[in-house]
Amino acid sequence: MIEIKNLHKSYKMGSNSLHVLKGINFNVKEGELVAIMGSSGSGKSTLLNIIGMLDVLDEGSYTLDGVPIIDLNETKAAKYRNKFLGFVFQSFNLINYKNALENVALPLYYQKIPRTERNETAMQYLTKVGLADWANHLPSELSGGQKQRVAIARALAAQPKVLLADEPTGALDSKTSVEIMQLIQEINDEGKTILIVTHETDIANMCKRIVQLKDGIMIEDKEINQVRASAYV
């Protein structure tokens, strides 16, 4: 599903260059639930951004679902993102003046799906995350956990191949974090490939595999016995 070979990424810092990723080799099979861990500055968010086509690699190769991701202009990158990827962010990234249903329907709007059909699909996914009754509420009327559920529904609505979650529980209390991880596990149980960037060990332990980065190098990649979130709920 995801194949990364000898990935390097540097950023210009004035007259200097900061080498953030130093030869990463990383494969993800369909249906995996992988945690990417590392301290601040380890390169985990940069790696996720490259996988998410929000940034480009300097050296190496990246293949997503058999498609080489190389030399994409912004139009093509946006098209591939819409086709392949769903995003969940720590800060939710909901549009404040749109209600929950409209937020979830947004990716389908960009796919030029007719309004009636996209609203029906959006409602299905709001129901899936337990928020059907909140469809007409604005983000300001939702709790943090509810906002993240809307964000997850939005990420799933376009039926992406891969779900990318950057610190999805970072802005939530521990009880709500467990509830969100239970939802993520249920989505993964249905076969969705999910990558989660997290600095929280208990969140990582709810995944099936942990990849550890340090100073731009992958220092550990291990499959684990997954802790089920339902045990805490």
Side-chain angles (χ1 to χ4, degrees), residues 163-210:
L163 194 62
L164 302 176
D166 194 357
E167 300 279 5
T169 61
L172 306 174
D173 62 63
S174 54
K175 179 177 180 292
T176 310
S177 296
V178 168
E179 290 169 358
I180 291 299
M181 283 307 298
Q182 183 177 22
L183 176 60
I184 286 172
Q185 286 180 341
E186 288 167 0
I187 293 161
N188 175 246
D189 290 343
E190 293 168 4
K192 187 70 71 188
T193 308
I194 305 176
L195 271 60
I196 296 179
V197 161
T198 183
H199 65 275
E200 298 173 75
T201 306
D202 55 343
I203 297 298
N205 286 335
M206 294 184 203
C207 299
K208 295 175 178 172
R209 176 179 160 201
I210 298 176

Side-chain angles (χ1 to χ4, degrees), residues 102-162:
E102 291 165 334
N103 266 286
V104 175
L106 205 57
L108 306 173
Y109 169 81
Y110 290 118
Q111 290 184 352
K112 298 185 168 46
I113 289 169
R115 181 194 291 263
T116 305
E117 186 183 338
R118 68 176 183 257
N119 283 348
E120 282 175 6
T121 301
M123 197 64 196
Q124 285 171 14
Y125 281 97
L126 273 179
T127 303
K128 184 180 182 69
V129 301
L131 286 181
D133 293 343
W134 297 81
N136 296 317
H137 287 251
L138 294 170
S140 59
E141 299 170 315
L142 303 175
S143 70
Q146 288 172 323
K147 288 178 192 174
Q148 197 58 292
R149 285 173 182 273
V150 172
I152 290 169
R154 178 184 60 189
L156 292 172
Q159 298 182 309
K161 302 271 188 183
V162 181

